[in-house]
Amino acid sequence: MAKLVALYKKPDDKAAFDSYYFSKHVPLAKKIPGLRAYEVSDGSVAIPLGESPFHLVALLSFDSLEAIQQGLASPEGAATAADLANFAGAGVDLLIFDTKAV
């Protein structure tokens, strides 16, 4: 299984972020071809020491890195990426990796 992790930094207006994210962005992202699962953090995002710079973490699962690349290159993936500018003004870090059980 391969993952795309989106680390959304704390916005100035958390309520506006959440409203847009869940009503507009999530429905767009769920249309990305090859997407197998979509999970988000529930509640505050913590780090072991100090205050976290993150408001929300999204974990998108795909069958492979190739499936992520194909999904992001699709019209639905492009629309989802373009939509980030509409609500993620504080910034977002995207991580893409393959996983294995250990």
Side-chain angles (χ1 to χ4, degrees):
M1 185 78 37
K3 305 282 185 185
L4 183 154
V5 177
L7 304 167
Y8 292 97
K9 296 188 176 139
K10 289 183 179 176
D12 291 333
D13 186 340
K14 293 177 184 178
F17 176 98
D18 290 345
S19 176
Y20 189 95
Y21 182 80
F22 289 105
S23 69
K24 306 274 192 226
H25 190 72
V26 169
L28 272 177
K30 284 189 165 188
K31 294 178 183 176
I32 296 173
L35 179 65
R36 297 289 181 214
Y38 193 138
E39 301 172 87
V40 297
S41 56
D42 188 19
S44 62
V45 177
I47 59 173
L49 299 173
E51 186 175 336
S52 166
F54 303 109
H55 172 63
L56 185 131
V57 177
L59 301 137
L60 285 70
S61 299
F62 294 81
D63 288 336
S64 65
L65 290 174
E66 183 179 334
I68 292 176
Q69 292 165 343
Q70 290 174 350
L72 294 179
S74 72
E76 297 87 350
T80 301
D83 189 51
L84 291 172
N86 294 325
F87 71 97
V92 58
D93 294 328
L94 301 176
L95 308 172
I96 298 171
F97 53 89
D98 211 350
T99 65
K100 65 179 177 180
V102 294

